[in-house]
C-alpha cells in the first residue's frame, strides 16, 4: 500500500503492476475466511437468507404462516439478484458469495475512485482493507454491503463526466441513481450527499457565474429528487409498517460508536484478539487523520475536487440518527463509506521510498492479522450453527418454533437471529423473521405469533410478559399455546426447569430442543 508516484520521470517497471497486485493480495486475504465458512457470524444475515428462501415460493408447510410477494423496495440488491438468478442452489451459499464479492468490491471500487480522481493507479487505496470487517459487515446488512461499492463508482462517474453535456449526464445518472436507490436507500443517500457536496463546491468556485452553475446543478439533481419523491409517495400511500416508525437521534456518545464502527460492531462480544486488532486499525486510522491535516512535511493530500464531497459526507455521518422510520443502526452505515472515500482521494506527499515500503508491509500485516482473527471467530460460529441445524432437523415441517435465551446472555447478539436457519433448513415457522420493508408478511391469523424486528425471547419474558407495553413483545404472550416447540440457544438449561410445559427432545452442544405440551 504504497503512495502513488507523482510525476516520476523513470518509474520502476514493477510500479505499474503494483496496484493490481495490491488489490489481488488484499482482496484474497479478506475474502478467504468469508468463503471458508458457510455460516458467517453476521447478526442479521440468517433472517435475510430465510427471506430469500421464501422469495421464490413458500413451501406447502409454511404457506399457512407466510405470504411473500416480491416487490422493488429501496433495499433489494441481493434479493433482486436471487430472484433474477432463479433461486438456483443453496441460499446460504448464495449469501456467502455475495458478502465475499461485496468485500472485494469495496477494495476495488476504492481503487477505481482513486484512479478516476488522480488519473493514475495507486496501491494506497487498498489500505481500506484494514476496515473490511466493519460494523455494517458484522451486523450483516447484506443489501447495504453489496450496494456500497456502487456509491464509490457513482461519485467517480460523477466527477469523471463533469465536462460532458448535461443531457449526457442525465442519461447516465437517471438509471444509475434509480438502480442504486433500489439496491439500498442508505447507499443512494450516501451518493446523493457526495454529489451535493461536489455541486456546492462547484457553486462556490463559480464566482460571478454562480447563477448558471446553480441552474446546471439543479437540473442534474432531478434523478435524485425523483427517487426521493418516489419514496415519499410510497411511504405516504402505504399502510403503517409492522416494524413501526421509530426515529431517534440518540445520545452524543452514539457518534463515538459510529466512529468505532469502522472496525468494531456495536454491542458484539468479539474475541479479545479481534478486538485488539480492531483497536489497532482504529488507532492507525486516527494517525492517518492527523496526517490529513498537516500542511508541510510528510502528509496526506486530499484532491482539491473532493473537498466538498468529503465535507458533506462528514456532516451526514455526524447527524445520522440511530433509528430512522423503524430502521436501526443508521448511524453506523456512513463511516465506512467516508473512510473509503478518504483512502481513495488522498495520497502521500514527501514520503520517501523506504518508509513507503515499511508502511505497505505493516498495513498488509494488519489486514492479514484481522483476517486470521476473523477466521477463528467465523470458524467457531460456523461450528455452532451446524449444531443448531442438527438439533432442528428433528422438527416436523410446519412446526412452530420459539427460540429462547438465558436472560444473562441477551447481549451476545451474534446468535440473535440464528433461529432463522430453522426456516431455511427445516421448513418450520419462527416468530422473529423481519417484516415491514420487504414483501414478506405473516398471515393475519398468525400476526400475534410474530415480532417484526426482535430477536429470540428472554426466559424472563416467558415468565413475566402477560400484557406487554410494546407490540413487539406480543409474540410471547400465551406462548404455551402458540408454539409447538422451543429451542434453547444458550448452554444454561437450568433456567427452563420451572417450565413444565417443555419436554426435552434433543441436545447438541449449547442447543436444546423441546416439545411444548400445554399444561
Amino acid at each position: 500500500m504504497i503512495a502513488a508516484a507523482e510525476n516520476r520521470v523513470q518509474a520502476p517497471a514493477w510500479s505499474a503492476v503494483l496496484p493490481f497486485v495490491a488489490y489481488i493480495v488484499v482482496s484474497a486475504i479478506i475474502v478467504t475466511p468469508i468463503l471458508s465458512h458457510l455460516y458467517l457470524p453476521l447478526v442479521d444475515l440468517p433472517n435475510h437468507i430465510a427471506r430469500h428462501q421464501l422469495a421464490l415460493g413458500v413451501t406447502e408447510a409454511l404457506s399457512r404462516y407466510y405470504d411473500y410477494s416480491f416487490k422493488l423496495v429501496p433495499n433489494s440488491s441481493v434479493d433482486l439478484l436471487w430472484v433474477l438468478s432463479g433461486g438456483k442452489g443453496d441460499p446460504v451459499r448464495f449469501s456467502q458469495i455475495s458478502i465475499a464479492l461485496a468485500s472485494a468490491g469495496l477494495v476495488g471500487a476504492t481503487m477505481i475512485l482513486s484512479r478516476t480522481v488522480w488519473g493514475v493507479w495507486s496501491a494506497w487505496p487498498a489500505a481500506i482493507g484494514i476496515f473490511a470487517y466493519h460494523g455494517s459487515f458484522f451486523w450483516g446488512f447484506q443489501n447495504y454491503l453489496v450496494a456500497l461499492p456502487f456509491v464509490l463508482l457513482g461519485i467517480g462517474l460523477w466527477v469523471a463526466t463533469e465536462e460532458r453535456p448535461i443531457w449526457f449526464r442525465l442519461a447516465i445518472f437517471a438509471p444509475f441513481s434509480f438502480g442504486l436507490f433500489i439496491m439500498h436507500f442508505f447507499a443512494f443517500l450516501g451518493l446523493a450527499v457526495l454529489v451535493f457536496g461536489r455541486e456546492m463546491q462547484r457553486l462556490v468556485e463559480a464566482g460571478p457565474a454562480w447563477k448558471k452553475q446553480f441552474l446546471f446543478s439543479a437540473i442534474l439533481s432531478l434523478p435524485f429528487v425523483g427517487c426521493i419523491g418516489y419514496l415519499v409517495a410510497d411511504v405516504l400511500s402505504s399502510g403503517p409498517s409492522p416494524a413501526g416508525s421509530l426515529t431517534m437521534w440518540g445520545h452524543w456518545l452514539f457518534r463515538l460508536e459510529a466512529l468505532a464502527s469502522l472496525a468494531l460492531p456495536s454491542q458484539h462480544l468479539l474475541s479479545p484478539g479481534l478486538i485488539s486488532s480492531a483497536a489497532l486499525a482504529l488507532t492507525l486510522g486516527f494517525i492517518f487523520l492527523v496526517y490529513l491535516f498537516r500542511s508541510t512535511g510528510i502528509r496526506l493530500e486530499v484532491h482539491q475536487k473532493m473537498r466538498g464531497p468529503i465535507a458533506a459526507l462528514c456532516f451526514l455521518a455526524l447527524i445520522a440518527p440511530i433509528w430512522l422510520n423503524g430502521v436501526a443502526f443508521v448511524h453506523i452505515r456512513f463511516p465506512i463509506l467516508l473512510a473509503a472515500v478518504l483512502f481513495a482521494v488522498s495520497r502521500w506527499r514527501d514520503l520517501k521510498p523506504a518508509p513507503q515500503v515499511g508502511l505497505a508491509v505493516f498495513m498488509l500485516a494488519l489486514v492479514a492479522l484481522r483476517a486470521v482473527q476473523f477466521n477463528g471467530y467465523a470458524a467457531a460460529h460456523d461450528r455452532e450453527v451446524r449444531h443448531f441445524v442438527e438439533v432442528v432437523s428433528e422438527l416436523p415441517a410446519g412446526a412452530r418454533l420459539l427460540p429462547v435465551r438465558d436472560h444473562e446472555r441477551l447481549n451476545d447478539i451474534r446468535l440473535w437471529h440464528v433461529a432463522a436457519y430453522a426456516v431455511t433448513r427445516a421448513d418450520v415457522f419462527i416468530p422473529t423473521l423481519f417484516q415491514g420493508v420487504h414483501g414478506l408478511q405473516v398471515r393475519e391469523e398468525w400476526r400475534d405469533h410474530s415480532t417484526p424486528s426482535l430477536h429470540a425471547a428472554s426466559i424472563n419474558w416467558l415468565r413475566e410478559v402477560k400484557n406487554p407495553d410494546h407490540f413487539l413483545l406480543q409474540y410471547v404472550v400465551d406462548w404455551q399455546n402458540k408454539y409447538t416447540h422451543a429451542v434453547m440457544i444458550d448452554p444454561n438449561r437450568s433456567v427452563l426447569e420451572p417450565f413444565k410445559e417443555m419436554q426435552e427432545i434433543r441436545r447438541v452442544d449449547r442447543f436444546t430442543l423441546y416439545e411444548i405440551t400445554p399444561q
Side-chain angles (χ1 to χ4, degrees):
M1 292 142 193
I2 303 173
E6 293 185 55
N7 301 321
R8 292 183 181 176
V9 176
Q10 290 184 337
W14 50 264
S15 65
V17 300
L18 183 59
F20 303 100
V21 172
Y23 170 73
I24 292 171
V25 172
V26 171
S27 296
I29 291 173
I30 291 169
V31 305
T32 294
I34 297 174
L35 293 176
S36 299
H37 308 289
L38 182 62
Y39 298 103
L40 295 171
L42 312 183
V43 180
D44 287 353
L45 189 60
N47 270 8
H48 296 312
I49 292 172
R51 188 177 67 249
H52 299 331
Q53 176 83 358
L54 298 171
L56 292 178
V58 180
T59 63
E60 182 179 353
L62 295 182
S63 61
R64 63 185 295 212
Y65 303 116
Y66 298 115
D67 276 327
Y68 192 100
S69 55
F70 180 78
K71 58 181 181 180
L72 287 178
V73 296
N75 185 4
S76 298
S77 53
V78 181
D79 298 74
L80 186 57
L81 287 173
W82 173 253
V83 170
L84 291 176
S85 72
K88 305 298 182 183
D90 181 7
V92 181
R93 180 71 70 185
F94 184 87
S95 290
Q96 177 199 32
I97 294 172
S98 73
I99 296 294
L101 291 175
S103 299
L106 178 63
V107 179
T110 304
M111 299 183 74
I112 291 172
L113 176 57
S114 174
R115 170 64 176 82
T116 302
V117 170
W118 292 107
V120 293
W121 289 103
S122 170
W124 162 245
I128 189 61
I130 66 173
F131 297 132
Y133 310 126
H134 50 89
S136 293
F137 173 86
F138 278 107
W139 272 102
F141 298 151
Q142 184 185 33
N143 288 320
Y144 179 71
L145 295 176
V146 171
L148 193 57
F150 291 91
V151 183
L152 301 171
L153 297 177
I155 188 59
L157 186 60
W158 187 270
V159 172
T161 59
E162 282 185 346
E163 303 305 320
R164 292 299 192 100
I166 195 168
W167 64 265
F168 179 84
R169 302 183 76 191
L170 285 172
I172 291 177
F173 281 96
F176 188 94
S177 60
F178 181 74
L180 189 59
F181 173 78
I182 291 299
M183 292 178 75
H184 203 285
F185 174 72
F186 292 137
F188 166 83
L189 179 61
L191 177 60
V193 169
L194 286 166
V195 166
F196 174 79
R198 177 58 189 150
E199 292 308 300
M200 288 300 296
Q201 181 180 349
R202 297 190 74 191
L203 189 62
V204 171
E205 293 171 348
W210 69 269
K211 292 183 180 180
K212 181 180 179 180
Q213 181 60 48
F214 177 81
L215 178 61
F216 284 170
S217 298
I219 295 173
L220 288 170
S221 71
L222 291 177
F224 299 95
V225 173
C227 291
I228 294 174
Y230 170 83
L231 178 64
V232 171
D234 183 63
V235 170
L236 293 177
S237 62
S238 301
S241 168
S245 57
L246 176 64
T247 297
M248 181 171 60
W249 192 80
H251 195 271
W252 67 269
L253 286 176
F254 283 106
R255 306 309 112 190
L256 296 180
E257 181 181 69
L259 183 61
S261 73
L262 282 172
L264 284 171
S266 57
Q267 304 178 30
H268 280 57
L269 299 180
L270 300 179
S271 65
L274 205 50
I275 293 174
S276 299
S277 65
L280 180 57
L282 289 171
T283 302
L284 202 58
F286 177 77
I287 292 172
F288 292 151
L289 195 62
V290 171
Y291 276 92
L292 275 173
F293 286 96
R294 296 192 69 184
S295 57
T296 59
I298 298 174
R299 62 193 184 279
L300 275 168
E301 174 189 33
V302 173
H303 197 283
Q304 189 275 337
K305 280 187 176 182
M306 297 301 293
R307 291 174 183 174
I310 289 173
L313 192 56
C314 283
F315 183 72
L316 175 63
L318 181 64
I319 68 167
I322 58 174
W323 281 82
L324 180 64
N325 197 31
V327 178
F329 295 104
V330 177
H331 64 304
I332 70 170
R333 316 282 181 128
F334 303 109
I336 182 60
L337 174 59
L338 178 59
V341 172
L342 285 172
F343 275 112
V345 304
S346 63
R347 63 177 177 182
W348 288 98
R349 294 293 301 268
D350 299 327
L351 186 64
K352 303 299 182 184
Q356 286 186 28
V357 174
L359 178 62
V361 171
F362 181 80
M363 296 289 282
L364 191 61
L366 181 55
V367 172
L369 175 63
R370 297 209 70 207
V372 168
Q373 290 169 342
F374 176 73
N375 183 71
Y377 182 67
H381 179 82
D382 181 82
R383 185 165 53 251
E384 288 190 334
V385 175
R386 291 179 187 276
H387 291 157
F388 175 82
V389 171
E390 184 179 348
V391 163
V392 298
S393 65
E394 297 285 328
L395 288 169
R400 298 188 297 276
L401 178 67
L402 175 67
V404 293
R405 300 208 65 170
D406 181 353
H407 189 75
E408 301 301 319
R409 289 179 174 264
L410 277 185
N411 61 342
D412 177 16
I413 66 175
R414 177 177 58 87
L415 295 174
W416 267 9
H417 298 297
V418 68
Y421 286 120
V423 178
T424 308
R425 297 307 193 203
D427 214 24
V428 303
F429 170 89
I430 66 166
T432 52
L433 288 190
F434 294 146
Q435 303 168 54
V437 175
H438 299 276
L440 176 65
Q441 298 288 338
V442 174
R443 289 184 178 271
E444 184 65 34
E445 60 268 33
W446 303 102
R447 291 283 172 82
D448 65 347
H449 291 56
S450 67
T451 183
S453 59
L454 267 187
H455 45 73
S458 161
I459 287 298
N460 289 1
W461 299 353
L462 304 190
R463 296 192 188 101
E464 301 168 2
V465 176
K466 305 300 181 184
N467 296 300
D469 294 330
H470 201 286
F471 73 95
L472 292 178
L473 292 177
Q474 182 66 38
Y475 79 109
V476 297
V477 176
D478 194 28
W479 59 269
Q480 302 93 329
N481 295 304
K482 287 181 176 177
Y483 304 99
T484 61
H485 298 80
V487 59
M488 180 62 175
I489 293 173
D490 299 312
N492 182 15
R493 303 170 185 88
S494 63
V495 295
L496 287 179
E497 290 178 359
F499 298 97
K500 304 304 181 184
E501 302 92 338
M502 295 193 186
Q503 307 299 318
E504 183 176 326
I505 298 176
R506 189 177 185 188
R507 180 186 306 180
V508 179
D509 195 56
R510 68 182 291 160
F511 303 102
T512 309
L513 183 65
Y514 297 86
E515 184 176 6
I516 299 176
T517 54
Q519 299 297 301

